Amino acid sequence: MSKHERWNTLLELLAATGRLEVEDAAATLGVSPATIRRDLDELAEQRLLVRTRGGAVPQGVSYELPLRYKSSRHASEKQRIAAAVAELVHEGEVVGLNGGTTTTEVARALALGFGAGRPEASPGAPTAPALTVVTNALNIAAELAVRPQIKLVVSGGVARPQTYELVGPLAAGVLGEVVLDVVVLGVDGIDPGLGIMAHHEDEAGISRLFAERASRVVVVADASKMGRRAFARICGLDRVDVLVTDTAIPAEAVRQLTDAGVKVVTV
């Protein structure tokens, strides 16, 4: 197991249990206690946890894994979801993407799907973009900036280091001036009564504005997000047109979402 894999597992264990003991973590990962101590010390230096005698506890009151450590969770499901979302987007559309691991996969799928097979333009001739993508996520912007077939619009704003999302009045100001054909939203929780949610109110506010500016709202989430609540509400299910998720979603959840008017696509 590589150091990155160990760190990812340690952070997930900490998020799930609220506390890590060196001996228990060493037994779970099959490595020596000395290796776990070094890992915890290095994670503490990055302010991802707080070292205690014999283990570690989360950093701060609210604990959220940074995006770079969440990317390997449910990876195959997210890639299938992203491929399905790309099929829902049409050439020439304006697409909004908020931040998150699943929307990052969507951005990659769009770049591949709308890049292959396009005719080369003659030198000096203007070409219409295959897509226009509006995003508040720095990592998504970095990946799409080198894709000549995609016109990229970045919202501006203050960056959140956990998720690479730009938030605040500057982000809201840009989004308030654009019109989207479709927005693809990654979320932290989906509840039949409350709707879709995010961990942080500033990110929820930007996602809400994305939804308000779009003709179609597509939510992407693996089945682990179903029935989960988060701190800040984005919008109700009445604003959501399509949910793309994996086949592990419970049948009762599908029924509740369908009754609320949401089309559920499973992959």
Side-chain angles (χ1 to χ4, degrees):
M1 180 180 289
S2 69
K3 177 186 286 190
H4 176 83
E5 290 171 330
R6 287 199 313 274
W7 285 13
N8 189 67
T9 302
L10 288 170
L11 289 169
E12 289 192 345
L13 288 171
L14 187 57
T17 64
R19 184 176 184 85
L20 281 179
E21 298 294 337
V22 169
E23 298 294 335
D24 293 341
T28 300
L29 274 65
V31 298
S32 69
T35 297
I36 296 297
R37 291 188 189 96
R38 286 194 297 271
D39 287 341
L40 296 181
D41 288 342
E42 292 181 53
L43 289 168
E45 288 175 2
Q46 297 190 38
R47 298 186 178 182
L48 294 174
L49 51 78
V50 176
R51 284 287 270 124
T52 62
R53 184 175 180 179
V57 295
Q59 171 75 38
V61 176
S62 177
Y63 192 67
E64 177 189 16
L65 288 177
L67 184 71
R68 63 185 179 275
Y69 293 112
K70 293 194 291 187
S71 59
S72 64
R73 299 195 301 188
H74 308 287
S76 61
E77 291 92 336
K78 291 172 182 178
Q79 289 165 3
R80 293 199 305 271
I81 289 169
V85 171
E87 295 294 323
L88 302 176
V89 176
H90 308 295
E91 184 160 353
E93 288 191 320
V94 182
V95 183
L97 294 173
N98 70 349
T101 54
T102 309
T103 50
T104 298
E105 292 295 343
V106 170
R108 293 166 180 161
L110 291 175
L112 290 173
F114 289 89
R118 281 178 60 80
E120 293 289 333
S122 58
T127 58
L131 288 178
T132 298
V133 173
V134 182
T135 186
N136 70 321
L138 290 172
N139 64 312
I140 291 175
E143 293 208 23
L144 296 184
V146 296
R147 306 284 185 168
Q149 75 276 19
I150 293 178
K151 177 181 177 180
L152 175 67
V153 179
V154 184
S155 69
V158 178
R160 290 199 70 250
Q162 294 278 44
T163 61
Y164 309 141
E165 287 190 80
L166 299 169
V167 297
L170 292 174
V174 170
L175 295 180
E177 297 299 322
V178 300
V179 177
L180 309 173
D181 293 301
V182 58
V183 65
V184 182
L185 295 178
V187 301
D188 295 314
I190 302 174
D191 180 89
L194 295 175
I196 57 176
M197 289 156 281
H199 286 310
H200 297 274
E201 68 277 5
D202 49 5
E203 292 180 4
I206 296 301
S207 294
R208 185 181 307 115
L209 187 53
F210 263 124
E212 290 172 356
R213 306 304 295 175
S215 297
R216 308 193 315 275
V217 176
V218 177
V219 172
V220 291
D222 60 73
S224 69
K225 305 291 179 62
M226 302 303 141
R228 180 185 296 181
R229 295 186 178 190
F231 173 70
R233 185 174 184 265
I234 297 171
C235 64
L237 292 181
D238 59 321
R239 190 65 192 89
V240 177
D241 297 291
V242 180
L243 167 69
V244 184
T245 186
D246 60 80
T247 54
I249 181 174
E252 177 62 16
V254 174
R255 185 192 65 77
Q256 291 174 324
L257 292 165
T258 302
D259 288 347
V262 179
K263 179 181 178 182
V264 180
V265 176
T266 58
V267 293

